[in-house]
Structures are given as structure tokens and as C-alpha cells.
């Protein structure tokens, strides 16, 4: 499972800003740092691409990549199966209601007849998949948080989560980052069986429940006043060797009210991590940040112009 669609630029946001709203009265949490596969679904079906041969009619009808299919004839489309059923009931020509850049349009086309039934000749996407890093786990409530930032849909808006799952995953390859170009972790699911259910997609991260959980010692959650400029560590998985701690330095602390919720600026100082990844890369989103034995934040974005 590659995280191209899911994983955004990486940086850091102060964890204590949102922990109070996601873990109720939790005072201690397990800082995890383990890579995880994520699948987030909404109730929208989006055109992701066109078949080279069968997609000619769809292109001629005016369909574009990124269009959200809302209706085919009178059938409301909420999943790919709805598309198949609607086409099977068609009389040779279908009316397609789409949403494009917030506006509704209606198009007509004739589906392509194939041995497997009528087809639009398009590739469909429902939701987003990718990899990230589990920030924290609460053994008392079975709740967990990951990514440290929200997941957007194809239109740049926060994806409205209908259902979602988390999977055990492992790193298969690393693309090193460099100045002006962020690197990336590539990973795959260890098993098709989900280990957790995702419940909320927010600007501060993706949250869910996991009965199995992740082992580790709980640590206190720092208050904003306890966070300071200086040495800290992040916990991440960047190879098959498992979770490791890496040294970083907090260079600057921003006000909690800052737009976008990015409250810390840190620099990777660990030579082993720099040699492996070149610094923070996509896939490390959610890596917990710890200072003086306390959980203080989560990696969320990377500065690529430094």
C-alpha cells in the first residue's frame, strides 16, 4: 500500500493542543511510532482516470478526472457497486449527474458494452488509502491517534469520513528527501484483516479504536508551558527493524493559536535517520515527539526549502 494519496508534507504540531478533545481526561498515553496502513472512505465516488480504449465515450461525453458521480439516471451513487447496478438497468443511454469544483452538471453518454456488462470506461476511487505513523494509544479507552493532520479529498477539503480501517503494515522502501523535494516511505499491509476502526478525520489527525492496541510504557502528556526549545526525540519506523527513537532539536515554538496548528519547528539531528531518509519524509506523519520523558507533539509537515 503506497501512501501517495494519503500522505501530505510533514512537519510538527503540538500534541497537547488536541489531546484534551480526543482522549477526554487521559493524563498518560503510549507513544507508539509504528507505521500503519490507513483506509478512509467517504460516500463519494470520484473518477480517477480513463481506460485507454473503453474510456473514449466517457471523455467525449465531457467527463473529467476528479468529477464526483452523484447520480446515474435515478440511482444515487455512494459506492462503485451503485455504478454497476445503475448501468445494468440502463436502456443504452445514461444521464450522469456529476459535481465538478462545487458545481453540479448533467451529462449523457452511452456505456460501452462488454462481456462483463456495460461499462463507463473509467477508473473509480472511493476515499483514500496510504500509510502513516501511530502517534499515541490509550490502553484504558482503546483509542489511538495517527497522522497529526487531517486527510483531504480530491478537492482539497477535509474528507468526510464514512468508515475507515487501520492495518498492520511494514516499510518496503525509502525515497530519501533532499532540499526542495520531500522523501517518502513506501509500505505494504501485513494482513488484510484490519486491526482498528477509524472514527474521526480532523484537522489535528485521524482517530479511532483498536482493541489489540500497541504495547509500550505510558508517559505523561506535557502541558504547553513545559515544552521548550532544545533537544527532543521522535519515535518512528523507517525500516523493517521496527520502532526507534531519533534525536531532534526544537528550534522554535509558535503560539497555539497559530493558523494551521503547526506549533513547533524542529530539525533532525540524528545521523542514522539522516543517512536513511535524509530527514523527515512522507509516511512519518504522526511520529510522536517527546521531551524530558513527556509526550509533547506529533510530526506533521516538512519544510522543503531549507
Amino acid at each position: 500500500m503506497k501512501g501517495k494519496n494519503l500522505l501530505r508534507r510533514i512537519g510538527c504540531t503540538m500534541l497537547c493542543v488536541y489531546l484534551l478533545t480526543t482522549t477526554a481526561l487521559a493524563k498518560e498515553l503510549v507513544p507508539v511510532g509504528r507505521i500503519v496502513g490507513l483506509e478512509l472512505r467517504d460516500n463519494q465516488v470520484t473518477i480517477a482516470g480513463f481506460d485507454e480504449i473503453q474510456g473514449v465515450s466517457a471523455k467525449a461525453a465531457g467527463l473529467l478526472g476528479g468529477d464526483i458521480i452523484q447520480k446515474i439516471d435515478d440511482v444515487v451513487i455512494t459506492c462503485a457497486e451503485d455504478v454497476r447496478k445503475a448501468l445494468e438497468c440502463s436502456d443504452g443511454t445514461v444521464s450522469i449527474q456529476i459535481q465538478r469544483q462545487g458545481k453540479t452538471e448533467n451529462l449523457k453518454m452511452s456505456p460501452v458494452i462488454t462481456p462483463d456488462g456495460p461499462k463507463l470506461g473509467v477508473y473509480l476511487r472511493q476515499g483514500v488509502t496510504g500509510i502513516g505513523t501511530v502517534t499515541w494509544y490509550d490502553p484504558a479507552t482503546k483509542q489511538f491517534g495517527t497522522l497529526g493532520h487531517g486527510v483531504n479529498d480530491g478537492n482539497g477539503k477535509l474528507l468526510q469520513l464514512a468508515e475507515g480501517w487501520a492495518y498492520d503494515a511494514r516499510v518496503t522502501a525509502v525515497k530519501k528527501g533532499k532540499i526542495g523535494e520531500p522523501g517518502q516511505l513506501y509500505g505494504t499491509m501485513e494482513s488484510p484483516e484490519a486491526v482498528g476502526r477509524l472514527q474521526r478525520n480532523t484537522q489535528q489527525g485521524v482517530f479511532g479504536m483498536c482493541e489489540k492496541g500497541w504495547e509500550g510504557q505510558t508517559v505523561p502528556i506535557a502541558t504547553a508551558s513545559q515544552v521548550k526549545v532544545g533537544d527532543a526525540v521522535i519515535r518512528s519506523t523507517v525500516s523493517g527493524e521496527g520502532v526507534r527513537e531519533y534525536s531532534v532539536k526544537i528550534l522554535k515554538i509558535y503560539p497555539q493559536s497559530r493558523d494551521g496548528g503547526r506549533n513547533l519547528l524542529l530539525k533532525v539531528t540524528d545521523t542514522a535517520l539522516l543517512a536513511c531518509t535524509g530527514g523527515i519524509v512522507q509516511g512519518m506523519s504522526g511520529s510522536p515527539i517527546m521531551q524530558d520523558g513527556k509526550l509533547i507533539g506529533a510530526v506533521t509537515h516538512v519544510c522543503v526549502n531549507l
Side-chain angles (χ1 to χ4, degrees):
M1 179 186 296
K2 294 183 179 181
K4 290 183 179 178
N5 295 327
L6 177 63
L7 301 174
R8 308 302 182 202
R9 296 184 308 157
I10 316 287
C12 42
T13 186
M14 197 168 251
L15 196 60
C16 56
V17 171
Y18 64 83
L19 283 181
L20 296 180
T21 62
T22 58
T23 61
L25 300 178
K27 295 183 178 180
E28 293 192 352
L29 296 168
V30 176
V32 181
R34 185 168 296 279
I35 192 173
V36 66
L38 300 170
E39 180 178 5
L40 293 85
R41 289 191 178 184
D42 52 14
N43 287 322
Q44 295 182 337
V45 176
T46 304
I47 296 177
F50 295 85
D51 183 87
E52 185 175 349
I53 298 174
Q54 297 177 0
V56 173
S57 295
K59 289 182 178 179
L63 289 173
L64 299 175
D67 287 347
I68 298 171
I69 301 177
Q70 296 180 317
K71 281 186 179 182
I72 297 180
D73 291 334
D74 294 326
V75 179
V76 176
I77 304 301
T78 61
C79 63
E81 182 65 15
D82 291 338
V83 174
R84 184 187 66 79
K85 291 179 179 178
L87 295 179
E88 287 180 346
C89 296
S90 70
D91 59 4
T93 301
V94 294
S95 175
I96 305 176
Q97 178 179 300
I98 62 166
Q99 183 183 78
R100 180 182 297 164
Q101 296 180 343
K103 296 181 180 180
T104 300
E105 298 186 26
N106 291 282
L107 306 171
K108 287 186 179 293
M109 69 167 287
S110 296
V112 179
I113 305 304
T114 76
D116 297 322
K119 305 288 185 182
L120 290 181
V122 301
Y123 299 110
L124 301 176
R125 181 182 74 241
Q126 184 179 6
V128 176
T129 60
I131 59 172
T133 300
V134 179
T135 308
W136 55 264
Y137 177 66
D138 186 348
T141 64
K142 309 299 183 182
Q143 289 183 307
F144 71 94
T146 182
L147 285 184
H149 60 76
V151 176
N152 291 338
D153 60 19
N155 295 314
K157 297 181 180 180
L158 196 66
L159 182 144
Q160 299 301 304
L161 182 66
E163 56 184 356
W165 300 272
Y167 301 87
D168 285 331
R170 60 182 174 85
V171 176
T172 57
V174 178
K175 175 187 174 184
K176 289 185 68 171
K178 56 185 179 181
I179 294 176
E181 184 180 341
Q184 185 173 343
L185 300 180
Y186 295 94
T188 185
M189 290 191 303
E190 294 275 54
S191 168
E193 297 296 324
V195 297
R197 179 173 291 275
L198 306 181
Q199 298 174 316
R200 285 179 294 157
N201 176 35
T202 75
Q203 296 290 357
Q204 290 77 33
V206 177
F207 305 97
M209 297 285 292
C210 180
E211 289 293 331
K212 172 186 172 183
W214 292 270
E215 294 182 354
Q217 182 66 41
T218 60
V219 301
I221 303 167
T223 63
S225 62
Q226 291 174 323
V227 182
K228 60 183 182 294
V229 171
D231 293 338
V233 297
I234 61 173
R235 185 170 289 183
S236 300
T237 306
V238 298
S239 70
E241 298 178 358
V243 180
R244 285 187 56 186
E245 289 188 358
Y246 300 97
S247 59
V248 297
K249 185 177 289 292
I250 297 174
L251 303 178
K252 191 172 183 178
I253 301 174
Y254 298 99
Q256 291 187 34
S257 59
R258 188 173 185 235
D259 290 343
R262 302 173 195 174
N263 306 109
L264 304 175
L265 176 65
L266 62 79
K267 177 182 179 181
V268 174
T269 57
D270 195 286
T271 55
L273 184 58
L274 290 171
C276 179
T277 65
I280 302 297
V281 299
Q282 295 177 341
M284 292 172 67
S285 286
S287 297
I289 308 169
M290 292 179 290
Q291 188 178 59
D292 298 332
K294 295 181 174 64
L295 187 57
I296 68 168
V299 170
T300 63
H301 295 77
V302 63
C303 297
V304 296
N305 59 343
L306 296 180

